[in-house]
Amino acid sequence: MHKPDSLSSEALDDLEASVGVLMVVWGRSAERIKPKVSPSQLRALVVVDRHGSINLMSLADELGSIPSVTSRLCDRLQAAGLLDRVAGADDRREVMLQLSKDGRRLLRQFRRERQADLKQVLSAMTPRSRSALLTGLSAFYAAATELGLPDEELA
């Protein structure tokens, strides 16, 4: 690893490699949840969960997708019992998407698995390294937020 103050290509390569490993640890938990869902389905469930209730157009916008593709994705999630479509409170013609009971259970399982994976790695680190990592990630988050980078896209 290179010195922290360096923004050399080697330091960026080190950062990229570390983030890659973090993403692998982060993503492993999705492989153990039942029923199996694709990364795009999981992301849709996370977005719906964050909003509590969201219409198809808004979900498509957040996913960076077109409504017809998002509708088919929601059809599959609904068929799997993970998503419910309900009439809108203000406009009964508007269809709102909400997590079903099984959808909420799946996301709880996903988050428990993800936290267990993170805890395993963090436990293997020294307290000092763990503290430095958390301090650095907090600063990274603050800088990214200040730059206006979206932080809501993560599962």
Side-chain angles (χ1 to χ4, degrees), residues 76-128:
R76 290 188 296 276
L77 289 170
Q78 185 176 17
L82 301 173
L83 192 68
D84 292 327
R85 286 183 164 109
V86 297
D90 297 331
D91 181 355
R92 307 271 316 150
R93 294 171 297 172
E94 181 178 40
V95 175
M96 301 301 290
L97 305 165
Q98 298 176 344
L99 292 184
S100 68
K101 180 179 156 188
D102 286 343
R104 287 189 301 277
R105 181 199 52 76
L106 181 125
L107 283 186
R108 279 193 308 273
Q109 178 191 5
F110 170 65
R111 289 179 176 125
R112 276 193 310 270
E113 295 285 346
R114 183 174 60 194
Q115 287 185 355
D117 288 341
L118 291 170
K119 185 176 182 178
Q120 180 182 14
V121 174
L122 290 171
S123 295
M125 296 172 65
T126 66
R128 184 175 178 179

Side-chain angles (χ1 to χ4, degrees), residues 9-87:
S9 63
E10 292 86 7
L12 293 174
D13 287 345
D14 288 348
L15 175 63
E16 207 168 40
S18 298
V19 169
V21 170
L22 178 60
M23 289 174 64
V24 167
V25 171
W26 184 270
R28 281 183 45 200
S29 49
E31 298 168 10
R32 292 191 306 275
I33 59 175
K34 301 278 192 259
K36 295 287 185 200
V37 294
S38 71
S40 58
Q41 289 172 325
L42 183 59
R43 187 161 175 247
L45 291 172
V46 168
V47 171
V48 171
D49 183 50
R50 185 176 346 106
H51 288 276
S53 183
I54 189 171
N55 67 30
L56 184 71
M57 293 296 290
S58 297
L59 178 60
D61 285 346
E62 284 211 37
L63 296 177
S65 182
I66 59 174
S68 61
V69 170
T70 304
S71 181
R72 286 191 299 275
L73 181 133
C74 290
D75 289 344
R76 290 188 296 276
L77 289 170
Q78 185 176 17
L82 301 173
L83 192 68
D84 292 327
R85 286 183 164 109
V86 297

